[in-house]
Short mmCIF file of all heavy atoms in Angstrom, two decimals:
data_model
loop_
_atom_site.label_atom_id
_atom_site.label_comp_id
_atom_site.label_asym_id
_atom_site.label_seq_id
_atom_site.Cartn_x
_atom_site.Cartn_y
_atom_site.Cartn_z
N THR A 69 -71.31 67.06 27.58
CA THR A 69 -70.69 67.44 26.34
C THR A 69 -71.43 66.79 25.16
O THR A 69 -71.66 67.40 24.17
CB THR A 69 -69.20 67.05 26.29
OG1 THR A 69 -68.66 67.71 27.48
CG2 THR A 69 -68.65 67.61 25.02
N HIS A 70 -71.65 65.42 25.31
CA HIS A 70 -72.30 64.72 24.25
C HIS A 70 -73.67 65.27 24.02
O HIS A 70 -74.13 65.38 22.85
CB HIS A 70 -72.42 63.20 24.65
CG HIS A 70 -73.05 62.47 23.61
ND1 HIS A 70 -72.49 62.12 22.39
CD2 HIS A 70 -74.29 61.71 23.55
CE1 HIS A 70 -73.33 61.34 21.65
NE2 HIS A 70 -74.45 61.12 22.35
N HIS A 71 -74.40 65.55 25.08
CA HIS A 71 -75.80 66.19 25.04
C HIS A 71 -75.66 67.45 24.26
O HIS A 71 -76.58 67.75 23.51
CB HIS A 71 -76.41 66.28 26.37
CG HIS A 71 -77.86 66.77 26.35
ND1 HIS A 71 -78.81 65.95 25.73
CD2 HIS A 71 -78.42 67.84 26.71
CE1 HIS A 71 -79.93 66.57 25.89
NE2 HIS A 71 -79.76 67.75 26.42
N GLU A 72 -74.76 68.29 24.61
CA GLU A 72 -74.60 69.73 23.94
C GLU A 72 -74.34 69.46 22.51
O GLU A 72 -74.82 70.17 21.62
CB GLU A 72 -73.56 70.44 24.57
CG GLU A 72 -73.82 70.95 25.98
CD GLU A 72 -72.69 71.59 26.67
OE1 GLU A 72 -71.66 71.77 26.03
OE2 GLU A 72 -72.78 72.00 27.86
N ARG A 73 -73.44 68.54 22.14
CA ARG A 73 -73.18 68.32 20.64
C ARG A 73 -74.34 67.77 19.92
O ARG A 73 -74.51 68.14 18.74
CB ARG A 73 -71.96 67.37 20.51
CG ARG A 73 -70.69 68.12 20.94
CD ARG A 73 -69.46 67.13 20.58
NE ARG A 73 -68.25 67.74 20.91
CZ ARG A 73 -67.05 67.13 20.88
NH1 ARG A 73 -67.05 65.89 20.43
NH2 ARG A 73 -65.98 67.81 21.24
N MET A 74 -75.16 66.98 20.62
CA MET A 74 -76.27 66.38 19.90
C MET A 74 -77.28 67.44 19.63
O MET A 74 -77.99 67.51 18.64
CB MET A 74 -76.96 65.27 20.75
CG MET A 74 -76.09 64.06 20.93
SD MET A 74 -75.64 63.32 19.36
CE MET A 74 -77.22 62.63 18.97
N GLN A 75 -77.32 68.51 20.58
CA GLN A 75 -78.42 69.67 20.34
C GLN A 75 -77.85 70.62 19.29
O GLN A 75 -78.62 71.17 18.56
CB GLN A 75 -78.62 70.33 21.67
CG GLN A 75 -79.48 69.52 22.57
CD GLN A 75 -79.65 70.26 23.89
OE1 GLN A 75 -78.96 71.25 24.21
NE2 GLN A 75 -80.62 69.81 24.71
N GLU A 76 -76.55 70.71 19.23
CA GLU A 76 -75.97 71.72 18.31
C GLU A 76 -75.95 71.20 16.84
O GLU A 76 -76.41 72.00 15.97
CB GLU A 76 -74.47 71.99 18.63
CG GLU A 76 -74.26 72.81 19.85
CD GLU A 76 -72.78 72.94 20.32
OE1 GLU A 76 -71.98 72.46 19.45
OE2 GLU A 76 -72.46 73.55 21.31
N ALA A 77 -75.63 69.96 16.66
CA ALA A 77 -75.62 69.44 15.24
C ALA A 77 -76.72 68.47 15.02
O ALA A 77 -76.74 67.45 15.70
CB ALA A 77 -74.24 68.72 14.97
N PRO A 78 -77.65 68.80 14.18
CA PRO A 78 -78.80 67.92 14.04
C PRO A 78 -78.26 66.68 13.27
O PRO A 78 -77.45 66.75 12.43
CB PRO A 78 -79.82 68.69 13.17
CG PRO A 78 -78.98 69.81 12.54
CD PRO A 78 -77.80 70.12 13.49
N GLN A 79 -78.96 65.58 13.60
CA GLN A 79 -78.54 64.30 12.98
C GLN A 79 -78.94 64.29 11.46
O GLN A 79 -80.01 64.76 11.14
CB GLN A 79 -79.26 63.15 13.57
CG GLN A 79 -78.81 62.94 15.07
CD GLN A 79 -78.16 61.65 15.27
OE1 GLN A 79 -78.10 60.83 14.35
NE2 GLN A 79 -77.48 61.50 16.39
N PRO A 80 -78.04 63.87 10.64
CA PRO A 80 -78.40 63.77 9.22
C PRO A 80 -79.47 62.76 9.05
O PRO A 80 -79.54 61.79 9.71
CB PRO A 80 -77.10 63.31 8.42
CG PRO A 80 -76.32 62.75 9.61
CD PRO A 80 -76.61 63.36 10.85
N MET A 81 -80.37 63.07 8.06
CA MET A 81 -81.52 62.19 7.93
C MET A 81 -80.97 61.01 7.07
O MET A 81 -80.33 61.17 6.05
CB MET A 81 -82.65 62.92 7.09
CG MET A 81 -83.25 64.00 7.84
SD MET A 81 -84.26 63.37 9.23
CE MET A 81 -85.55 62.57 8.35
N ARG A 82 -81.30 59.82 7.60
CA ARG A 82 -80.94 58.60 6.86
C ARG A 82 -82.09 58.30 5.96
O ARG A 82 -83.19 58.53 6.29
CB ARG A 82 -80.82 57.47 7.86
CG ARG A 82 -79.62 57.62 8.73
CD ARG A 82 -79.52 56.39 9.67
NE ARG A 82 -78.65 56.61 10.71
CZ ARG A 82 -78.75 56.14 11.94
NH1 ARG A 82 -79.68 55.31 12.22
NH2 ARG A 82 -77.84 56.46 12.84
N PRO A 83 -81.65 57.83 4.72
CA PRO A 83 -82.74 57.48 3.84
C PRO A 83 -83.55 56.33 4.35
O PRO A 83 -83.01 55.40 4.90
CB PRO A 83 -82.02 57.09 2.52
CG PRO A 83 -80.64 56.80 2.91
CD PRO A 83 -80.39 57.53 4.23
N ARG A 84 -84.84 56.56 4.43
CA ARG A 84 -85.64 55.47 4.96
C ARG A 84 -85.84 54.37 3.89
O ARG A 84 -85.92 54.67 2.75
CB ARG A 84 -87.11 56.01 5.20
CG ARG A 84 -87.06 56.91 6.39
CD ARG A 84 -88.58 57.30 6.83
NE ARG A 84 -89.03 56.10 7.27
CZ ARG A 84 -90.34 56.05 7.84
NH1 ARG A 84 -91.05 57.22 7.89
NH2 ARG A 84 -90.86 55.00 8.24
N ARG A 85 -85.62 53.26 4.53
CA ARG A 85 -85.81 52.08 3.70
C ARG A 85 -87.27 51.79 3.44
O ARG A 85 -88.04 51.65 4.41
CB ARG A 85 -85.09 50.85 4.40
CG ARG A 85 -85.06 49.67 3.53
CD ARG A 85 -84.20 48.60 4.24
NE ARG A 85 -84.77 47.33 3.81
CZ ARG A 85 -84.58 46.14 4.38
NH1 ARG A 85 -83.92 46.19 5.53
NH2 ARG A 85 -85.01 45.06 3.90
N GLU A 86 -87.70 51.67 2.19
CA GLU A 86 -89.05 51.50 1.98
C GLU A 86 -89.39 50.07 2.29
O GLU A 86 -88.63 49.12 2.06
CB GLU A 86 -89.35 51.73 0.46
CG GLU A 86 -89.19 53.16 -0.05
CD GLU A 86 -90.22 54.06 0.69
OE1 GLU A 86 -91.39 53.68 0.86
OE2 GLU A 86 -89.83 55.17 1.03
N ALA A 87 -90.51 49.91 2.98
CA ALA A 87 -90.95 48.53 3.37
C ALA A 87 -91.39 47.81 2.14
O ALA A 87 -92.02 48.37 1.22
CB ALA A 87 -92.11 48.69 4.32
N ALA A 88 -90.93 46.54 2.00
CA ALA A 88 -91.28 45.78 0.90
C ALA A 88 -92.81 45.50 0.91
O ALA A 88 -93.35 45.32 2.01
CB ALA A 88 -90.53 44.48 0.89
N PRO A 89 -93.46 45.60 -0.17
CA PRO A 89 -94.82 45.29 -0.15
C PRO A 89 -95.13 43.96 0.37
O PRO A 89 -94.32 42.99 0.17
CB PRO A 89 -95.30 45.53 -1.70
CG PRO A 89 -94.04 45.60 -2.41
CD PRO A 89 -92.82 45.88 -1.50
N VAL A 90 -96.27 43.80 0.93
CA VAL A 90 -96.63 42.52 1.48
C VAL A 90 -96.72 41.48 0.40
O VAL A 90 -96.46 40.30 0.71
CB VAL A 90 -97.98 42.67 2.30
CG1 VAL A 90 -98.44 41.28 2.80
CG2 VAL A 90 -97.92 43.71 3.41
N ARG A 91 -97.01 41.87 -0.78
CA ARG A 91 -97.20 40.91 -1.87
C ARG A 91 -95.94 40.39 -2.32
O ARG A 91 -95.95 39.45 -3.11
CB ARG A 91 -98.04 41.67 -3.01
CG ARG A 91 -99.38 42.01 -2.60
CD ARG A 91 -100.19 42.66 -3.70
NE ARG A 91 -100.22 41.89 -4.94
CZ ARG A 91 -101.03 40.92 -5.25
NH1 ARG A 91 -101.85 40.45 -4.28
NH2 ARG A 91 -101.03 40.28 -6.38
N SER A 92 -94.74 40.93 -1.86
CA SER A 92 -93.51 40.34 -2.33
C SER A 92 -93.29 38.85 -2.00
O SER A 92 -92.79 38.11 -2.77
CB SER A 92 -92.38 41.14 -1.88
OG SER A 92 -92.21 41.03 -0.49
N TYR A 93 -93.81 38.53 -0.80
CA TYR A 93 -93.68 37.14 -0.39
C TYR A 93 -94.72 36.24 -1.31
O TYR A 93 -94.28 35.14 -1.66
CB TYR A 93 -94.07 36.88 1.01
CG TYR A 93 -92.89 37.30 2.03
CD1 TYR A 93 -92.86 38.43 2.79
CD2 TYR A 93 -91.75 36.36 2.07
CE1 TYR A 93 -91.79 38.69 3.59
CE2 TYR A 93 -90.68 36.81 2.87
CZ TYR A 93 -90.75 37.83 3.56
OH TYR A 93 -89.70 38.16 4.43
N GLU A 94 -95.78 36.71 -1.51
CA GLU A 94 -96.73 36.02 -2.36
C GLU A 94 -96.12 35.86 -3.83
O GLU A 94 -96.27 34.75 -4.34
CB GLU A 94 -98.07 36.78 -2.34
CG GLU A 94 -99.21 36.10 -3.15
CD GLU A 94 -99.50 34.77 -2.57
OE1 GLU A 94 -99.58 34.70 -1.27
OE2 GLU A 94 -99.81 33.79 -3.22
N THR A 95 -95.56 36.96 -4.29
CA THR A 95 -94.91 36.84 -5.64
C THR A 95 -93.85 35.83 -5.64
O THR A 95 -93.64 35.06 -6.49
CB THR A 95 -94.42 38.26 -6.06
OG1 THR A 95 -95.57 39.19 -6.03
CG2 THR A 95 -93.82 38.20 -7.47
N ALA A 96 -93.00 35.93 -4.58
CA ALA A 96 -91.83 34.99 -4.50
C ALA A 96 -92.37 33.56 -4.36
O ALA A 96 -91.81 32.68 -4.98
CB ALA A 96 -90.98 35.39 -3.29
#
Side-chain angles (χ1 to χ4, degrees):
T69 304
H70 180 69
H71 183 67
E72 288 174 5
R73 285 187 181 174
M74 294 301 287
Q75 287 180 346
E76 289 174 2
Q79 296 244 347
M81 293 294 289
R82 293 184 194 147
R84 288 189 68 174
R85 187 175 153 199
E86 292 297 321
V90 176
R91 297 183 49 82
S92 66
Y93 280 108
E94 185 63 36
T95 304

